[in-house]
Amino acid sequence: MSSDGPMSLDCALKQLSRTSMPILAGGTDFFPALRDAPAPAQVLDVSRIDGLRGIQRTASGWRLGAATTWSDVIRKPLPPVFKALKAAAREVGSVQIQNAGTIAGNICNASPAADGVPPLLSMNASVELASVRGIRLLPLQEFIQGPRVTARRDDEIMVAIHIPDMDEAARSEFVKLGARRYLVISIVMVSVVLIPDAQGRLKEARVAVGACSAVARRLHRLEAVLQGQPQHADLQSLVEPSLFTELEPIDDVRGSAEYRLQVVQQLIGQLLTRCLQSLTSPPSGDAGREATGEFS
């Protein structure tokens, strides 16, 4: 297995079209997943492909290169609505993992507890997939199909994540609940985006929940109830379990399904309250300095 990655995307795509093989970027999920098994005879290392790393402003929003690391996300000056994504980035393992792990790797690993997925869902992210046949774009919700299952074809490489433009007044929040504060697999994750209108009401509300179903889900029924509410409303009182029909939490060693549903109701309510407060407060510098994901 060579440690030298291809230096051009065309080269990588041609190689992948000839021979199906695992794709390696940061390796933070790839190598632990091997356990005691030998490494594959061939691995396509995309970590050094030109143009696959970095965050750029586009005409329609933001482009996050697939090989962009979580540390890149944390350090990049971004609008306040990226606060949730930055908070999730700080939850991806240790600093060493954040320095190596890539945003596309977190998505393609397709863990139900992937930290980066709920914030990206709440930002209406889509993924860009390339092959020798061309480019295709998929909404993130369609790309992740189940635990460790995605819509990526064998000859495709994810090259970017796209986040569409949002109103500059939009704000976001994220929280992750685990058995301890750091280096832990999630019991529940919640990400919220609120977009106000000029009349002081919520033009749009987006709520995404991770680790409570086979894949992270948007709560569309709850979002419909929140839309149009005044910014001074008690949104927490509107959060009812009957609106969580998209979730199918399981019982496991980290928590029961009943516990997850109770916790997710509390966390959504708290996040909505915090996000409402941030709508009326001026941002204190870059979103990265605000994004802690912690509750007092």
Side-chain angles (χ1 to χ4, degrees):
M1 180 173 64
S2 172
S3 61
D4 294 327
M7 297 305 292
S8 75
L9 181 59
D10 284 345
C11 174
L13 293 177
K14 288 175 183 177
Q15 189 171 348
L16 201 59
S17 70
R18 293 190 296 266
T19 306
S20 177
M21 65 186 80
I23 297 174
L24 175 71
T28 59
D29 287 317
F30 179 83
F31 290 108
L34 291 175
R35 299 184 183 273
D36 295 327
Q42 288 184 302
V43 174
L44 182 61
D45 184 349
V46 300
S47 61
R48 295 174 58 196
I49 293 180
D50 291 336
L52 247 63
R53 182 171 178 177
I55 302 174
Q56 292 88 33
R57 188 76 170 87
T58 69
S60 58
W62 294 85
R63 181 186 188 275
L64 286 68
T68 300
T69 69
W70 291 108
S71 291
D72 293 336
V73 173
I74 293 168
R75 293 168 185 153
K76 178 75 172 181
L78 292 166
V81 75
F82 279 81
K83 179 180 179 183
L85 186 62
K86 285 175 173 282
R90 288 188 171 88
E91 299 286 355
V92 181
S94 63
V95 172
Q96 293 90 336
I97 296 296
Q98 294 162 16
N99 287 341
T102 64
I103 189 168
N106 191 254
I107 294 172
C108 290
N109 191 46
S111 165
D115 296 314
V117 174
L120 290 170
L121 285 177
S122 66
M123 299 176 83
N124 283 345
S126 60
V127 300
E128 179 182 348
L129 302 163
S131 71
V132 293
R133 293 173 285 106
I135 297 289
R136 64 182 182 127
L137 292 172
L138 278 179
L140 179 58
Q141 186 74 77
E142 295 179 17
F143 177 74
I144 303 176
Q145 300 181 333
R148 316 293 180 184
V149 180
T150 73
R152 187 186 72 83
R153 296 165 183 161
D154 287 345
D155 65 343
E156 288 181 321
I157 295 174
M158 184 185 293
V159 295
I161 296 90
H162 294 273
I163 296 174
D165 258 334
M166 280 174 277
D167 191 292
E168 63 181 15
R171 297 292 184 268
S172 70
E173 295 285 346
F174 170 85
V175 69
K176 168 181 175 176
L177 176 69
R180 59 180 185 268
R181 182 65 187 89
Y182 295 106
L183 302 175
V184 65
I185 297 175
S186 304
I187 300 172
V188 173
M189 291 176 294
V190 177
S191 183
V192 166
V193 169
L194 297 181
I195 305 174
D197 64 18
Q199 288 72 46
R201 293 184 175 272
L202 295 181
K203 180 170 62 177
E204 195 171 352
R206 305 174 190 168
V207 181
V209 176
C212 280
S213 47
V215 298
R217 295 288 188 193
R218 286 271 297 272
L219 301 186
H220 295 291
R221 291 188 63 196
L222 174 59
E223 292 174 356
V225 170
L226 297 172
Q227 185 175 343
Q229 293 292 327
Q231 289 180 220
H232 57 75
D234 179 12
L235 298 186
Q236 192 160 356
S237 66
L238 302 176
V239 182
E240 297 288 344
S242 61
L243 302 174
F244 302 164
T245 51
E246 291 93 343
L247 302 182
E248 297 176 349
I250 62 169
D251 296 301
D252 63 15
V253 295
R254 288 182 290 278
S256 67
E258 181 182 9
Y259 174 72
R260 283 184 162 93
L261 285 176
Q262 290 175 349
V263 168
V264 80
Q265 181 179 4
Q266 295 174 14
L267 293 183
I268 291 173
Q270 293 178 47
L271 277 187
L272 288 171
T273 299
R274 176 185 280 189
C275 211
L276 276 181
Q277 293 171 347
S278 68
L279 287 179
T280 57
S281 303
S284 55
D286 172 52
R289 289 192 291 273
E290 300 176 63
T292 63
E294 298 179 11
F295 280 88
S296 57

